[in-house]
Amino acid sequence: MDVRVHGTARKTTDVGLMNTLNVQSRRSHLSAPVKTAAYWAEEQFGHSHEKALPSFVALQALFSRDGGVFGYEVLHRSGRENRFTGDADHATQSIMKNWSFPELHKLADGRPIFLNCPRQVLVAGLLERLATPVVIEVLETVEPDEEVIAACRHLKSLGYQIALDDFQLNCRIGALVDLADYIKVDFRLSDSQARRQILDYLGGRPVRLIAEKIETVDEYEVALHEGFEIVQGYHTARPVMYSKGLRQATGCTQIPELFCST
């Protein structure tokens, strides 16, 4: 894959998209379903959304085997540095309260958005109040108990897809595998033997395999050889940061005030 070609295409798309967004009203209002989700999030988790504080996210592209962009994982950023700090619960809640998912879908060119979801977000019922569906990444730390499985079944009935993050074989994971649309395997946490056991276990199941944390050409070629359909990692694309509520954001693509609560 010629990563530079993808980088150029993405930059061109971003520029056109930002020009489109810039003509929108800087004081546009939340649509009713998005406002409902934001207010409901505050009721559940606290934190006022009334102050217009700077907010950051990063989008990391996932690539299909043919080299095209398949989708994007939306990642929380607490400040100008393009890295994650904090805990998973706060990160997901911050994204859901501060960003409009229809606008994130525009940034993703309409492609699927993957959102990390810890247990509290899954079982609280917040996801079904979003204006647009996302691919729900069930974190590896989530215990697949009856409440979690019931929540995932309900979300799938509403049209959401399920991804299992940092997948590893264990005796507790079976029920979630039956609900999964995507399985993500971390190349930093698995060797070839462990991945072969995972692929053998998943053989014949209607899931799409994602190789994540792919950082070298060799890992990329191994992932394709082993049968992974989608690839994510620094080798193919680094996360691209976006900011909202700042006049200047070094290293970020500046977004105008896409929505505000009044």
Side-chain angles (χ1 to χ4, degrees):
M1 180 194 307
D2 188 346
V3 179
R4 291 174 298 175
V5 172
H6 296 307
T8 301
R10 178 64 186 158
K11 181 178 180 181
T12 302
T13 302
D14 282 346
V15 170
L17 176 60
M18 296 315 302
N19 288 337
T20 300
L21 292 177
N22 278 323
V23 301
Q24 298 178 357
S25 169
R26 295 181 60 83
R27 299 297 296 175
S28 60
H29 296 285
L30 283 168
S31 63
V34 178
K35 180 177 288 188
T36 299
Y39 275 69
W40 198 83
E42 181 181 325
E43 292 174 2
Q44 290 293 310
F45 305 121
H47 311 300
S48 173
H49 62 277
E50 294 179 355
K51 294 182 179 179
L53 298 177
S55 182
F56 302 85
V57 292
L59 298 182
Q60 184 176 28
L62 291 80
F63 288 85
S64 56
R65 291 180 65 90
D66 63 7
V69 177
F70 176 80
Y72 293 87
E73 181 174 354
V74 57
L75 304 164
H76 171 69
R77 295 292 184 258
S78 57
R80 298 169 186 261
E81 292 187 71
N82 196 356
R83 63 187 181 88
F84 173 74
T85 57
D87 65 86
D89 279 294
H90 172 73
T92 303
Q93 293 163 23
S94 176
I95 292 171
M96 296 179 73
K97 287 182 291 185
N98 294 319
W99 291 83
S100 159
F101 274 78
E103 296 296 347
L104 288 175
H105 273 282
K106 287 184 180 180
L107 293 178
D109 299 328
R111 294 180 174 89
I113 287 180
F114 290 69
L115 177 68
N116 290 321
C117 291
R119 175 189 171 82
Q120 187 178 10
V121 171
L122 279 171
V123 301
L126 177 59
L127 290 164
E128 63 191 78
R129 298 170 183 257
L130 296 178
T132 55
V134 297
V135 179
I136 299 163
E137 282 200 32
V138 181
L139 297 181
E140 70 280 4
T141 56
V142 175
E143 181 75 21
D145 56 28
E146 292 183 4
E147 191 176 14
V148 167
I149 292 169
C152 290
R153 282 202 184 104
H154 177 61
L155 288 165
K156 280 188 68 76
S157 74
L158 298 176
Y160 291 79
Q161 291 186 309
I162 303 292
L164 302 185
D165 193 28
D166 292 351
F167 183 84
Q168 294 181 335
L169 291 176
N170 59 62
C171 61
R172 303 174 291 105
I173 204 69
L176 279 180
V177 171
D178 292 338
L179 296 172
D181 301 280
Y182 303 92
I183 300 289
K184 301 185 75 172
V185 179
D186 190 329
F187 268 53
R188 306 267 75 77
L189 300 177
S190 62
D191 57 21
S192 59
Q193 181 178 357
R195 292 194 298 273
R196 175 48 52 194
Q197 291 174 343
I198 291 173
L199 296 176
D200 289 344
Y201 172 76
L202 296 174
R205 295 177 182 266
V207 296
R208 304 191 71 173
L209 300 172
I210 301 176
E212 60 178 341
K213 303 290 179 63
I214 301 299
E215 298 183 358
T216 67
V217 174
D218 288 343
E219 289 175 343
Y220 175 77
E221 293 176 349
V222 167
L224 297 185
H225 177 74
E226 291 181 348
F228 286 89
E229 299 177 59
I230 301 168
V231 176
Q232 178 183 9
Y234 283 1
H235 171 65
T236 50
R238 290 178 177 269
V240 176
M241 282 188 67
Y242 297 90
S243 68
K244 182 172 58 183
L246 291 179
R247 293 184 178 275
Q248 293 181 341
T250 303
C252 303
T253 299
Q254 179 66 30
I255 294 179
E257 192 173 42
L258 298 179
F259 62 79
C260 63
S261 58
T262 55

